[in-house]
Structures are given as structure tokens and as C-alpha cells.
């Protein structure tokens, strides 16, 4: 029987690549997106070409009522083996000029979204006594980036949550890890000054979404059965503290 993977924020970028990689590895996909149905439908079609099924789930991870409304009816019949908390966005500004909305919205999606989705799914995983949770964090949450105090704080919080949750559920054979991408070729870096960024990366290039997805796929495989509570950087060797 195929296993199920729930990927949040899966309609584009890293989330879409993760969904496709897991589908290629034999998972059926529950693909969450907030509003871009056309992009989600394209990912769904690609997944189905790989021979896996794909259930599209439109909801805002920051809204607990929406999360529970979308997931609980499905969880009555099936429990995903994998949860990838990928949904997120950046709203950059120096803290002195940052609006409270920009702070709260970033926190609500990254940390609130993690809580809402994981809290809804986790009791079902615990009853099954198996599962993998992978949180997509960021180099920004490891070293801090000027102009991203909200984003860095949210991702750093998610790293702490990863480690704490891993300790809580290890006896239930649920493994919890995080993947921290550096500069990855997505729309999030399109307007950044590459001439300044590339010298900071020892490999001299930005990463691909497929390279991030490969790490996630590994953490969802049998090959990672003794790994939990860890953060894996996919950043081309960019300096870590």
C-alpha cells in the first residue's frame, strides 16, 4: 500500500518540488495551497503522471478552523505517514520600520501554521505509532539576516519546536527533523543582488528546489530511521554559527 504525504504550501517552489519528489518515491500526496488553484492543479497533474494520487487541499495554515475543516474529514479514513510543514513567506523590513501586521502575519503562517497543522495531524500519527515530520526552516533562522527579523525569528522558533517535538514523540516512533535551505532558485530571491550573495556561498551558486527536495525525501525514507531532532542545511556551504 502507498503511504500518504501531506505537504503544505505545495503549489510552487520548494513545496512543489518536495511533493513531486515524494510522489516519485511512491507516496500519494495531500497537497495544500492557500489560493493559487491553477498552480496547484499543475502540480497535481505532474504527480498523477508519476503514478501517484494527489488530493488538493485549499486552506490557510494560519487559520485553525480552516485546517481542521479540511483535514479532519480525511483523517477519519487515512493518516499521512509524512507531514512536511513548508508553507511560508517573507515580508522583509528593518525592525524599526516593520509594521505589526508584517510581524504578526509572518509569525502566524510559520509558527501558527506549524502548530495548527501538526496539532491536527499528530494524534492520528501517535495512534499509528509511526510517522515523519519535516519542517522547512531557513539559513536565516540559523544565523539571522538583517531586514528579516520577523522571518529569522519565526524560522528560529520552528527549529526549537522541531527539537522539542522530536523529544516528545520519539517513543511513538515519530521522527521530527528540519531542513534549512539557503539561497535557492525560487521567486523569493529574484530581486536579490546576486553579485553580493554568490561570494558568500563556497559552491559559488544558488541551490535548486530539487536539491532541497532530495534531503526531505531522504528524511522520509527508511534510510533515516535513526535520525530525529536534527537540522540539515542545504546551503552550498554558507557559514553557520
Amino acid at each position: 500500500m502507498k503511504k500518504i504525504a501531506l505537504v503544505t504550501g505545495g503549489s510552487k517552489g520548494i513545496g512543489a518540488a518536495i511533493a513531486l519528489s515524494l510522489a516519485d518515491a511512491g507516496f500519494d500526496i495531500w497537497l495544500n495551497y492557500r489560493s493559487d488553484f491553477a498552480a496547484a492543479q499543475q502540480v497535481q497533474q505532474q504527480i498523477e503522471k508519476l503514478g501517484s494520487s494527489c488530493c488538493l487541499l485549499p486552506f490557510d495554515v494560519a487559520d485553525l478552523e480552516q485546517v481542521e475543516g479540511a483535514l479532519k474529514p480525511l483523517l477519519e479514513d487515512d493518516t499521512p505517514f509524512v507531514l512536511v510543514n513548508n508553507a511560508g513567506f517573507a515580508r522583509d523590513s528593518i525592525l524599526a520600520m516593520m509594521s505589526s501586521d508584517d510581524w504578526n502575519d509572518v509569525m502566524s503562517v510559520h509558527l501558527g501554521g506549524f502548530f495548527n497543522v501538526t496539532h491536527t495531524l499528530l494524534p492520528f500519527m501517535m495512534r499509528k505509532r509511526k510517522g515523519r515530520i519535516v519542517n522547512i526552516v531557513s539559513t536565516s533562522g540559523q544565523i539571522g539576516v538583517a531586514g528579516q527579523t520577523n522571518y529569522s525569528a519565526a524560522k528560529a522558533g520552528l527549529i526549537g519546536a522541531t527539537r522539542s517535538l522530536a523529544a516528545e514523540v520519539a517513543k511513538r516512533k515519530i521522527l521530527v527533523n528540519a531542513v534549512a535551505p539557503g539561497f535557492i532558485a525560487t521567486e523569493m530571491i529574484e530581486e536579490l543582488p546576486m553579485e553580493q550573495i554568490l561570494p558568500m556561498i563556497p559552491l559559488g551558486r544558488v541551490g535548486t528546489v530539487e536539491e532541497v527536495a532530495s534531503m526531505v525525501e531522504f528524511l522520509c525514507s527508511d534510510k533515516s530511521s535513526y535520525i530525529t531532532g536534527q537540522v540539515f542545511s542545504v546551503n552550498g556551504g554558507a557559514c553557520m554559527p
Side-chain angles (χ1 to χ4, degrees):
M1 293 180 63
K2 284 193 173 184
K3 296 176 181 178
I4 297 169
L6 167 58
V7 181
T8 68
S11 64
K12 61 188 69 173
I14 290 173
I18 290 169
L20 289 167
S21 181
L22 292 175
D24 196 39
F27 286 87
D28 287 328
I29 306 297
W30 291 1
L31 190 79
N32 159 255
Y33 66 101
R34 189 179 68 169
S35 58
D36 195 341
F37 172 71
Q41 192 173 46
Q42 287 183 351
V43 178
Q44 180 186 46
Q45 292 169 354
Q46 291 176 278
I47 288 170
E48 290 173 346
K49 286 180 181 178
L50 293 171
S52 294
S53 69
C54 180
C55 175
L56 296 183
L57 297 174
F59 61 81
D60 181 353
V61 298
D63 187 322
L64 180 58
E65 184 175 349
Q66 287 188 35
V67 172
E68 291 181 340
L71 292 181
K72 283 192 172 180
L74 297 175
L75 291 169
E76 291 177 3
D77 298 316
D78 293 300
T79 301
F81 177 70
V82 166
L83 166 60
V84 181
N85 285 303
N86 169 74
F89 72 105
R91 195 171 285 170
D92 296 349
S93 173
I94 61 171
L95 187 64
M97 300 184 68
M98 184 178 294
S99 70
S100 59
D101 285 345
D102 285 352
W103 176 270
N104 291 328
D105 289 349
V106 168
M107 293 297 169
S108 294
V109 170
H110 292 274
L111 291 177
F114 159 79
F115 174 82
N116 292 339
V117 179
T118 307
H119 182 263
T120 301
L121 179 57
L122 191 58
F124 295 87
M125 277 188 171
M126 293 176 72
R127 288 184 205 129
K128 294 283 187 179
R129 299 186 68 87
K130 61 182 180 180
R132 306 291 171 86
I133 298 172
V134 181
N135 298 316
I136 305 304
V137 294
S138 172
T139 299
S140 180
Q142 295 174 297
I143 64 174
V145 174
Q148 286 195 325
T149 304
N150 51 358
Y151 187 79
S152 295
K155 292 300 192 183
L158 197 49
I159 289 171
T162 297
R163 291 174 171 148
S164 293
L165 183 59
E168 289 179 6
V169 299
K171 290 184 179 179
R172 296 288 181 136
K173 300 182 180 179
I174 299 169
L175 309 182
V176 187
N177 292 289
V179 174
F183 292 101
I184 306 298
T186 68
E187 62 183 21
M188 285 186 69
I189 69 166
E190 287 177 353
E191 297 183 5
L192 297 181
M194 285 297 107
E195 69 280 0
Q196 298 177 27
I197 289 170
L198 292 180
M200 300 164 52
I201 305 171
L203 285 183
R205 65 173 178 86
V206 299
T208 68
V209 292
E210 290 79 14
E211 287 169 322
V212 179
S214 292
M215 177 57 75
V216 175
E217 182 186 331
F218 166 72
L219 292 172
C220 297
S221 74
D222 293 338
K223 295 178 181 179
S224 66
S225 57
Y226 197 56
I227 300 173
T228 195
Q230 306 303 309
V231 181
F232 296 88
S233 299
V234 183
N235 62 18
C239 292
M240 292 290 99

